[in-house]
């Protein structure tokens, strides 16, 4: 994540092709690492039998996507958005099985931020001339802030789902900082060890 931040800063300072590749590829590799560690086994393809095999699948896919980005740089935006849609689908599947209001609230925060972020990105990309004509060139910066907020909600959700499947001796619980009553919060996961019955 630190490298993604540094490369994003470098790209936006230079607006160079190399900066763009570093920015997008650092995000792609960060997501690949997160997928490799936290993606629930229950959703693995049938041909994948272990986490180690899933590491290889994630790594191979990421290397191919990286090489494709040098051939066709616009490919990265589509790969990253496909990952976002897949995360939304995973969340929807898990929400159907879960009745915890905190999980649903965190998912709603993630989706709202993501919809606003992708709307800003698409509007900035497709209606650039309009925004320049009215002297409002800020939508790309809104995209960065909103997608960061969306990931702030997404990461604890994915970790929550991961703990449910991979660490059955613990019960995950979502908490909010600074307080439950605030409209915008920073969610985090706590692990409660259930009482063992003799």
């Amino acid at each position: 994540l630190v490298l993604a931040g540094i490369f994003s800063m470098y790209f936006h300072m230079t607006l160079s092709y190399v900066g763009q590749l570093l920015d997008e590829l650092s995000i792609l590799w960060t997501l690949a690492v997160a997928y490799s560690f936290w993606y629930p086994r229950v959703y693995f393809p049938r041909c994948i039998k272990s986490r180690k095999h899933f590491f290889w699948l994630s790594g191979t896919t990421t290397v191919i996507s990286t090489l494709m980005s040098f051939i066709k740089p616009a490919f990265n935006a589509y790969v990253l958005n496909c990952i976002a849609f897949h995360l939304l689908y995973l969340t929807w599947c898990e929400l159907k099985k879960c009745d915890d209001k905190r999980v649903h609230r965190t998912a709603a925060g993630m989706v709202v931020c993501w919809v606003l972020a992708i709307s800003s990105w698409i509007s900035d990309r497709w209606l650039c001339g309009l925004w320049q004509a009215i002297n409002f060139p800020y939508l790309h910066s809104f995209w960065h802030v909103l997608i960061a907020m969306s990931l702030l909600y997404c990461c604890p959700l994915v970790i929550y789902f991961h703990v449910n499947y991979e660490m059955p001796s613990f019960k995950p619980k979502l908490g909010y900082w600074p307080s439950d009553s605030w409209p915008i919060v920073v969610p985090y996961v706590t692990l409660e060890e259930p009482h063992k019955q003799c």
Side-chain angles (χ1 to χ4, degrees):
L1 285 174
V2 170
L3 284 177
I6 290 168
F7 291 147
S8 182
M9 184 175 65
Y10 173 74
F11 168 51
H12 289 86
M13 286 170 49
T14 64
L15 295 179
S16 65
Y17 172 69
V18 171
Q20 179 184 357
L21 282 177
L22 288 172
D23 180 28
E24 292 174 352
L25 291 176
S26 64
I27 295 167
L28 178 68
W29 280 87
T30 300
L31 288 172
V33 169
Y35 255 77
S36 297
F37 283 110
W38 293 328
Y39 192 68
R41 274 179 219 252
V42 71
Y43 294 110
F44 282 5
R46 288 192 181 129
C47 61
I48 303 296
K49 303 297 182 199
S50 69
R51 178 75 56 187
K52 184 178 180 182
H53 290 150
F54 190 67
F55 282 155
W56 279 103
L57 175 67
S58 297
T60 303
T61 305
T62 306
V63 167
I64 291 168
S65 297
T66 301
L67 295 174
M68 284 296 296
S69 69
F70 287 101
I71 299 165
K72 182 92 172 150
F75 184 72
N76 267 339
Y78 296 104
V79 170
L80 293 173
N81 281 313
C82 286
I83 293 170
F85 280 115
H86 189 254
L87 282 170
L88 290 171
Y89 173 73
L90 169 68
T91 303
W92 178 69
C93 290
E94 285 299 314
L95 288 178
K96 290 193 301 185
K97 303 182 218 172
C98 177
D99 55 0
D100 186 332
K101 289 182 177 160
R102 288 173 177 261
V103 173
H104 284 263
R105 177 185 173 188
T106 304
M110 177 189 79
V111 170
V112 166
C113 289
W114 182 80
V115 167
L116 291 172
I118 202 72
S119 300
S120 297
W121 185 77
I122 290 170
S123 183
D124 179 60
R125 197 158 177 105
W126 291 352
L127 302 172
C128 186
L130 169 70
W131 299 118
Q132 284 180 339
I134 62 172
N135 201 20
F136 191 79
Y138 307 112
L139 287 177
H140 190 78
S141 62
F142 292 173
W143 147 259
H144 280 281
V145 171
L146 290 164
I147 204 66
M149 288 174 65
S150 180
L151 287 172
L152 190 69
Y153 287 95
C154 181
C155 287
L157 266 182
V158 173
I159 293 169
Y160 179 93
F161 301 146
H162 173 79
V163 170
N164 265 339
Y165 289 111
E166 305 287 330
M167 302 171 70
S169 61
F170 289 96
K171 183 180 177 193
K173 183 179 176 188
L174 281 171
Y176 297 126
W177 181 87
S179 166
D180 287 5
S181 61
W182 285 43
I184 297 176
V185 293
V186 177
Y188 59 91
V189 178
T190 58
L191 300 179
E192 295 178 349
E193 196 165 1
H195 297 294
K196 294 182 181 175
Q197 296 187 358
C198 299

